[in-house]
């Protein structure tokens, strides 16, 4: 059996890697190939296109790269035609994958979509496209599965894979020693995102906020996990002029979360990961003004943080657009670091988030569902 992937961001690369390992455990003979990154390659996927230079954010950036994305889609379609996979598994990255599934369907390649477009937040019309062009949709949330089912999608709910994967591998003391940090100090985790535009837009503001945090909260140390899609040169370019000493971590991001007192994170999967780790987090979201204006018109929710959306109210604070200033970041972060009652309340709220995320085993259930689908589809075609 041959399975092809299409993942376009660091989070998708991680989900794809975990899924690839589960597929190989269930079927050691399965062939895996596709678009992905370092994590998927390490998990045994033959990478036909590396996603390192894919990350874009915002309408303006996307428009400038449209010709490139058309060429990339054509390349993946050609790869499907040549390799003839039994199934194409698209992982998140809807701006690109929503177009790829149409081409796959036209080529007769069965499509599984894993980590679905967030039609409960915006672009509800994408649900109709998924229903039309996807043979099997795999949902992370029960409420999401119900929405897709109501739109005519063949969808199953397997649970959220982060429940299985988000855990520390070292004690706080061991992690501090590993990263060269002082375990007696408060630690703030800086997570400016996995896209170059995010990092350039958010990290300088985070670093200015770090100066204010130190002034108000004492001798605080800072650590930053480098996403595989971000070059060290870029981080050095932004961090050195700030004068703030920031430890750059490679891999072991959950151990970084485990040793940290609080986090400042770009919107995205990272805020769900910090929630599962019980780490008090401030979400920051800032894009170009055109993208922000469009999001205000199109988005149907009051919060963009996944923990907040899951719970139906804000369990972690959010700063949007012009609210993202060093002063506002510091004002939100200092109580998380110094106020015991505030920290305890956040820990209780984050524990509630974890309880709503389903039972362990989601990755294995997803892998089994994909294999079962591919085998049933193959058997059906053989009969015909």
């Amino acid at each position: 059996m041959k399975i092809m992937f299409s993942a376009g961001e660091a989070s998708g690369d991680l989900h794809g890697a975990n899924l690839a390992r589960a597929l190989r455990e269930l079927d050691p003979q399965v062939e895996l190939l596709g678009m992905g990154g370092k994590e998927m390659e390490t998990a045994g996927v033959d990478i036909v296109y590396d996603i390192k230079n894919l990350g874009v954010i915002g309408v303006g950036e996307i428009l400038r790269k449209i010709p490139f994305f058309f060429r990339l889609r054509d390349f993946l379609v050609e790869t499907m035609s040549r390799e003839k996979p039994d199934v194409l598994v698209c992982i998140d990255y809807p701006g690109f994958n929503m177009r790829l599934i149409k081409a796959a369907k036209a080529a007769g390649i069965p499509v599984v979509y894993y980590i679905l477009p967030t039609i409960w937040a915006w672009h509800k019309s994408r649900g109709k496209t998924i229903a039309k062009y996807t043979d099997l949709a795999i949902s992370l949330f029960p409420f999401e599965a119900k929405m897709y089912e109501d739109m005519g999608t063949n969808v199953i709910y397997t649970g959220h894979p982060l429940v299985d994967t988000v855990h520390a591998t070292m004690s706080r003391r061991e992690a501090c020693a590993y990263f060269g940090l002082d375990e007696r100090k408060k630690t703030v985790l800086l997570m400016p995102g996995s896209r170059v535009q995010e990092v350039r837009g958010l990290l300088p503001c985070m670093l200015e906020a770090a100066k204010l945090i130190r002034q108000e909260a004492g001798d605080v140390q800072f650590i930053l996990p480098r996403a595989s899609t971000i070059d060290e040169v870029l981080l050095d370019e932004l961090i050195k002029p700030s004068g703030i000493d920031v430890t750059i971590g490679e891999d072991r991001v959950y151990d970084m979360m485990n040793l940290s007192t609080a986090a400042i994170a770009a919107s995205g999967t990272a805020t769900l990961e910090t929630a599962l780790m019980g780490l008090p987090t401030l979400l920051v979201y800032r894009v170009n003004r055109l993208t922000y204006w469009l999001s205000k018109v199109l988005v149907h929710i009051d919060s963009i943080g996944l923990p907040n959306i899951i719970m139906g109210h804000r369990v972690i604070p959010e700063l949007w657009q012009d609210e993202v200033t060093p002063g506002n970041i510091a004002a939100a972060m200092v109580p998380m670091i110094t106020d015991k009652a505030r920290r305890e309340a956040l820990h209780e709220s984050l524990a509630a988030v974890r309880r709503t995320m389903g039972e362990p085993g989601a990755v294995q259930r997803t892998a089994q569902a994909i294999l079962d689908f591919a085998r049933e589809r193959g058997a059906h075609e053989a009969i015909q």
Side-chain angles (χ1 to χ4, degrees):
M1 182 181 297
K2 185 181 293 186
I3 296 174
M4 182 169 168
F5 293 95
S6 176
E9 296 179 296
S11 60
D13 183 34
L14 182 59
H15 287 306
N18 292 327
L19 181 56
R21 293 187 185 96
L23 287 165
R24 285 197 178 279
E25 287 176 6
L26 292 169
D27 183 357
Q29 302 304 313
V30 68
E31 295 181 56
L32 305 174
L33 73 153
M35 181 169 75
K38 181 180 68 174
E39 298 293 337
M40 289 171 63
E41 184 176 27
T42 301
V45 179
D46 180 13
I47 301 299
V48 300
Y49 185 85
D50 195 310
I51 65 172
K52 184 175 182 179
N53 297 317
L54 272 188
V56 295
I57 185 171
V59 175
E61 295 89 343
I62 291 171
L63 289 174
R64 284 193 291 274
K65 295 196 75 172
I66 282 177
F68 163 79
F69 282 114
F70 275 114
R71 291 194 300 272
L72 178 58
R73 184 198 60 183
D74 291 344
F75 168 74
L76 293 179
V77 171
E78 290 170 6
T79 302
M80 282 188 279
S81 298
R82 182 177 65 254
E83 297 290 340
K84 295 180 172 54
D86 295 281
V87 61
L88 170 69
V89 178
C90 291
I91 303 175
D92 201 3
Y93 208 52
F96 179 82
N97 279 332
M98 294 288 286
R99 291 168 175 79
L100 184 63
I101 63 176
K102 295 178 181 179
K105 192 76 169 180
I109 305 296
V111 174
V112 172
Y113 210 118
Y114 178 47
I115 309 184
L116 292 160
T118 54
I119 60 171
W120 33 267
W122 75 319
H123 269 324
K124 191 173 181 179
S125 62
R126 284 176 168 174
K128 296 178 182 178
T129 303
I130 291 290
K132 183 175 181 180
Y133 294 99
T134 297
D135 298 284
L136 176 65
I138 300 177
S139 176
L140 308 186
F141 307 104
F143 73 89
E144 178 185 68
K146 179 64 166 57
M147 289 187 70
Y148 272 98
E149 184 179 14
D150 290 345
M151 300 184 83
T153 308
N154 179 29
V155 60
I156 59 172
Y157 163 66
T158 57
H160 206 294
L162 290 180
V163 173
D164 293 287
T165 58
V166 176
H167 56 81
T169 62
M170 298 182 281
S171 68
R172 185 176 187 276
R173 171 171 292 183
E174 290 170 335
C176 284
Y178 180 86
F179 291 109
L181 297 173
D182 187 340
E183 65 175 299
R184 296 167 298 180
K185 293 182 179 180
K186 303 289 187 182
T187 305
V188 171
L189 183 67
L190 305 178
M191 303 188 75
S194 61
R195 302 181 181 105
V196 171
Q197 289 88 348
E198 280 182 312
V199 174
R200 286 193 180 278
L202 291 174
L203 184 54
C205 189
M206 289 183 180
L207 294 169
E208 288 302 309
K211 297 176 185 178
L212 300 176
I213 291 168
R214 275 188 172 167
Q215 291 174 12
E216 299 182 41
D219 194 7
V220 178
Q221 58 192 353
F222 299 90
I223 185 168
L224 187 154
R226 184 180 72 84
S228 60
T229 48
I230 302 299
D231 285 330
E232 282 186 78
V233 173
L234 173 61
L235 295 179
D236 288 341
E237 173 190 320
L238 298 174
I239 292 171
K240 284 184 178 179
S242 74
I244 293 288
D245 185 20
V246 179
T247 298
I248 306 297
E250 300 285 344
D251 303 318
R252 297 183 180 271
V253 65
Y254 302 136
D255 290 305
M256 296 185 219
M257 292 179 185
N258 191 45
L259 67 80
S260 296
T261 312
I264 311 168
S267 61
T269 305
T271 59
L272 195 53
E273 292 172 316
T274 58
L276 290 170
M277 287 296 296
L279 179 63
T281 300
L282 169 67
L283 178 151
V284 290
Y285 172 77
R286 186 166 64 189
V287 291
N288 69 53
R289 292 194 177 277
L290 175 58
T291 302
Y292 182 68
W293 179 82
L294 288 173
S295 70
K296 292 293 285 184
V297 172
L298 298 172
V299 173
H300 318 304
I301 49 179
D302 297 324
S303 298
I304 55 175
L306 287 171
N308 299 337
I309 293 169
I310 291 169
M311 298 305 293
H313 63 275
R314 287 200 177 182
V315 296
I316 63 170
E318 299 184 3
L319 294 176
W320 293 20
Q321 206 63 7
D322 292 339
E323 296 174 338
V324 181
T325 67
N328 286 343
I329 292 174
M333 288 299 296
V334 170
M336 291 188 195
I337 299 168
T338 62
D339 187 331
K340 184 179 179 181
R342 170 66 170 151
R343 288 181 55 74
E344 288 178 353
L346 283 167
H347 284 144
E348 290 178 8
S349 296
L350 296 175
V353 174
R354 187 177 186 94
R355 289 194 294 270
T356 67
M357 295 286 289
E359 297 297 321
V363 177
Q364 288 73 23
R365 289 191 294 272
T366 298
Q368 188 65 64
I370 291 171
L371 290 174
D372 289 346
F373 165 78
R375 287 166 182 156
E376 290 171 9
R377 185 67 177 249
H380 177 72
E381 291 180 354
I383 291 172
Q384 291 183 327

